[in-house]
Amino acid sequence: MSEVDQTDQDRKVLEDFIVNNTDLKRLEALLDRFNIFEAVGLVRQEIRHSAFLAFLLNPRESHGLGDAFAKRLLQEAIMAAPDTSVPVTPIELSLWDLGQMEVRREWQHIDMFLLDERNRLAVIIENKIDTTEHSDQLQRYHEIVKHHFPGYRVVGLYLTPAGEKPSHKAYVPLGYSTVCEMLDRLSNDQAITMEPDVRTLIAHYAMMLRRHIVGDSEIKKLCLQIYQDHRQAIDESFKHIPSVQVEVRSFVQKLISDEPRLILDRTSKTMINFAEASWDSPVLLTASGWTPSKRVLLFEFRNGLDSLDLRLYIGPATDVIRQKLLGVARDNPSIFDFPSKSGNQYSTVFFRSFLTKEMYEIAAHEERKREIQKKWDDFLENDLPRIDAVLKNESWIWESSEPVD
């Protein structure tokens, strides 16, 4: 088939998809129904879902629900938990007054953190809609809370559209369907005392969850039917839409390539490794089973679906070299992060967040690029020179022409 014939065929496929497509028109009609949360673009944005849920969970907010929503949600999640070792019972919760409970957003990167000093209760809520767990975050959050609040009962909730099972035993699964049910009950139980505006807001939120997040919504079924009937047209359209992850990777690789003192190492869709060119001494070229360059010290951009982080790793070298480098990190806490677990083959000794979830959910591509550029300039002007100066002061790295035994 000639290129012209292929173009004509592709155009015909797209025309069939757009013209006289009754399913597409029905979908547009469904999406045209006014909903407050759809109007502000909240549908699949985890940060905004977390913000609204934090508002409802906070007993001191203006919704007038007091601690009812927080208490009932915790009770329902715990009663449905497959593991009975949760450190608080539904009966205890029913007797407690949570009216002074504090609700924090993004404390220590935790989506929602509930803290009740009176009852010594700490609740971690990790919210996932279109993403999954990564980097042992559930374990890290639990360890952080236990460290900051010793003696507290710590409960973890893993909130997902379908109530998926979390990886850590301290967390219980919580589905958005349970959130919908709790909101419906609260609207009915407190219909007399609840302000009409608050009841409308809650009804719109529950409606939006059912249409887009929970189970087999009408919109989800219709989208599936449209895709099955017009797979070729939709696939062809998406070929020309670069993903955010690909765009970020391309921009980051260009930043590294444009900097003369840096060398690109191994790259993939989710990882971009690079090194400082002047660090290629015999001592620091002894890593095994990592990248072909054998570099012991490598920077790595973690290019996730909803985050971009920069780390400096000490890789799998000899124990002598690793311990010496870890000692350098420990002796310079203003520059390096000393890892809590140094027995692994890979130790993170430097960490900087470049993009947060919010930059993926509400920012345009050009705004993300500006944010990355700003953090990158700061890294080149401040972080990298300080790291380099400390390493250059370690004579054992540079004076030996042979690897350290």
Side-chain angles (χ1 to χ4, degrees), residues 190-311:
Q190 301 193 24
I192 298 176
T193 59
M194 188 182 296
E195 290 289 338
D197 289 347
V198 175
R199 194 175 187 194
T200 298
L201 197 64
I202 288 175
H204 274 243
Y205 185 66
M207 179 196 307
M208 182 273 297
L209 290 180
R210 288 195 168 93
R211 283 166 61 172
H212 299 282
I213 306 297
V214 176
D216 294 326
S217 67
E218 185 177 2
I219 289 177
K220 181 178 178 181
K221 291 177 181 177
L222 195 52
C223 288
L224 180 60
Q225 183 63 48
I226 291 172
Y227 181 69
Q228 290 173 342
D229 293 342
H230 302 276
R231 183 190 301 261
Q232 185 178 349
I234 295 171
D235 288 347
E236 184 65 27
S237 299
F238 274 101
K239 286 180 184 178
H240 304 285
I241 305 175
S243 71
V244 173
Q245 197 173 29
V246 171
E247 289 177 336
V248 168
R249 175 194 174 192
S250 176
F251 185 63
V252 167
Q253 286 191 185
K254 185 178 186 306
L255 289 177
I256 297 169
S257 300
D258 288 347
E259 180 55 43
R261 55 183 151 165
L262 302 179
I263 303 173
L264 269 173
D265 201 277
R266 177 186 57 180
T267 66
S268 69
K269 184 178 181 180
T270 58
M271 293 186 299
I272 306 161
N273 291 113
F274 66 94
E276 219 282 3
S278 66
W279 295 356
D280 281 353
S281 72
V283 170
L284 297 183
L285 292 174
T286 56
S288 58
W290 196 8
T291 73
S293 70
K294 296 187 177 181
R295 292 186 173 101
V296 177
L297 290 173
L298 273 179
F299 287 101
E300 180 175 292
F301 272 106
R302 289 277 186 91
N303 183 25
L305 291 172
D306 62 353
S307 64
L308 178 68
D309 300 326
L310 176 62
R311 304 160 190 256

